[in-house]
Amino acid sequence: MKTKAGNSRDSVEWILIAKGIGIVLVVIGHFYPDTSPRYWSAIRDVIYSFHMPMFFILSGYLYSHDKYSYSDLIKNKIRRLLYPFISVAALFFIVKYVAGWVVNLGHPVNIGSIYALVTDPVNSYMPLLWFVYTLFLIFAIYPLARMFLNNVVILLLLLFIKSFFGSKYLVFGEVIYHMPFFIIGIILRENAKLSEMAISANWRHILAALALFSLGYVVRLSFNVLPMYEYLTSIYLGITGSLFVINISHNISTLSVNRAKSVLLQIGYYSMTIYLFHTLFESTVRIGVLQVLRNIQVPFELF
């Protein structure tokens, strides 16, 4: 039975499945050993064009402007985002600081590393935390902007700022870049007709989203996009690629419970934990494998 995206139980399921698929893509994208062939770089480029924008779209879709007062919203996001940010940052700082006594680290941590983490997390000792930090700032800024401007005006303002002035700003650079995806999610949630047009379990929606994404990707590869339009191209690819995965997820959510669906739901449920700690696991496994097979040339496909 085909269901609409607006049903609450189905919405929870397809969102969890989308998060599950998304975090799998994140883990795959972060696997990039020195022996990676060119085709793997191309695959990663496709993944990176939409996997994180999708998480912001999903966050916006789940956001309800009337659910919390502003103070309650901030308290909720401090608990769900800022506490993990601080905890993981402190844990990895201690690990790297202690490791610096034992081995010669290429990028040792110090007090200045904490400042870099807060002002420019992408280029800090724990770059993964940029997403958590950016999402918290978006939740803090968006409701204030919404008091004075509607979604369309906020979206156009952000697109204008990024297209003409860039986003190379400390603290707020990633917010300017990614908040449009968050707002797209809100617009989809608040506009039932638009949501039904964009999100469906119907295979025609899935193929349409794939076709639109592929067209945009081919255009980006085939033509020299002017700098001011490069960001608009990124927005386009982020939205269409996300809708492709979201529609697949919505289709899976309508199926009877099976092993694959259950696994994706579980992965989606723990997506934030996986996001925060998967690189530690990947690095440990990779170092262990390299130590065991240090004298053997292992093909990339078997790594």
Side-chain angles (χ1 to χ4, degrees):
M1 177 181 176
K2 302 300 181 183
T3 56
K4 293 182 179 181
N7 295 343
S8 59
R9 185 170 183 271
D10 296 316
S11 294
V12 171
E13 284 204 342
W14 70 253
I15 287 172
L16 282 177
I17 291 170
K19 285 184 175 182
I21 295 173
I23 201 63
V24 168
L25 293 176
V26 168
V27 174
I28 291 173
H30 286 164
F31 179 72
Y32 195 51
D34 295 336
T35 56
S36 299
R38 291 182 62 183
Y39 75 80
W40 187 251
S41 297
I43 290 173
R44 289 180 73 249
D45 187 60
V46 172
I47 291 173
Y48 270 70
S49 67
F50 70 87
H51 71 329
M52 296 314 294
M54 184 177 72
F55 281 102
F56 286 101
I57 290 175
L58 293 175
S59 296
Y61 191 89
L62 289 171
Y63 174 81
S64 177
H65 191 63
D66 301 320
K67 185 176 181 180
Y68 299 106
S69 66
Y70 183 72
S71 61
D72 288 338
L73 173 68
I74 296 302
K75 290 176 184 177
N76 178 272
K77 297 312 171 185
I78 287 175
R79 179 174 58 85
R80 301 192 64 176
L81 295 173
L82 210 54
Y83 284 173
F85 174 85
I86 295 171
S87 300
V88 173
L91 174 63
F92 277 80
F93 183 91
I94 293 170
V95 170
K96 289 194 172 187
Y97 189 78
V98 173
W101 295 348
V102 181
V103 296
N104 184 23
L105 297 178
H107 301 283
V109 294
N110 50 44
I111 297 300
S113 302
I114 298 175
Y115 173 79
L117 179 67
V118 174
T119 58
D120 189 16
V122 173
N123 296 308
S124 70
Y125 72 91
M126 193 55 186
L128 280 176
L129 289 176
W130 77 266
F131 170 73
V132 182
Y133 188 53
T134 300
L135 190 57
F136 174 79
L137 290 176
I138 287 175
F139 275 117
I141 294 170
Y142 170 78
L144 299 177
R146 183 70 180 266
M147 292 179 182
F148 306 98
L149 305 170
N150 63 36
N151 284 324
V152 174
V153 173
I154 298 172
L155 181 60
L156 292 176
L157 182 61
L158 288 167
L159 294 178
F160 175 81
I161 293 172
K162 176 63 180 73
S163 298
F164 288 92
F165 301 101
S167 59
K168 300 297 182 182
Y169 308 104
L170 293 180
V171 182
F172 298 107
E174 295 299 327
V175 173
I176 294 171
Y177 190 99
H178 290 96
M179 191 186 286
F181 297 111
F182 182 83
I183 294 174
I184 291 296
I186 294 174
I187 291 173
L188 286 173
R189 175 64 176 266
E190 294 182 348
N191 190 317
K193 289 185 178 180
L194 181 61
S195 182
E196 288 180 14
M197 288 175 57
I199 302 173
S200 170
N202 193 303
W203 278 99
R204 286 176 294 182
H205 281 72
I206 297 173
L207 294 176
L210 177 60
L212 290 171
F213 174 78
S214 301
L215 177 63
Y217 200 82
V218 169
V219 169
R220 193 183 77 168
L221 291 178
S222 303
F223 300 96
N224 292 322
V225 180
L226 295 174
M228 67 178 295
Y229 298 119
E230 185 177 348
Y231 178 57
L232 297 180
T233 303
S234 298
I235 291 288
Y236 175 87
L237 292 176
I239 293 172
T240 54
S242 297
L243 288 177
F244 173 60
V245 174
I246 286 171
N247 284 322
I248 288 177
S249 303
H250 193 35
N251 184 279
I252 294 173
S253 73
T254 65
L255 303 176
S256 300
V257 176
N258 55 53
R259 182 62 177 171
K261 179 179 177 180
S262 298
V263 169
L264 285 173
L265 286 169
Q266 284 293 105
I267 293 174
Y269 184 80
Y270 292 105
S271 57
M272 181 62 81
T273 302
I274 295 171
Y275 177 80
L276 292 174
F277 292 102
H278 75 277
T279 54
L280 181 61
F281 175 78
E282 280 186 349
S283 300
T284 302
V285 171
R286 191 180 304 131
I287 292 171
V289 170
L290 289 175
Q291 286 296 317
V292 174
L293 304 175
R294 56 182 176 273
N295 296 322
I296 302 176
Q297 187 69 29
V298 182
F300 170 81
E301 287 75 12
L302 299 177
F303 200 90

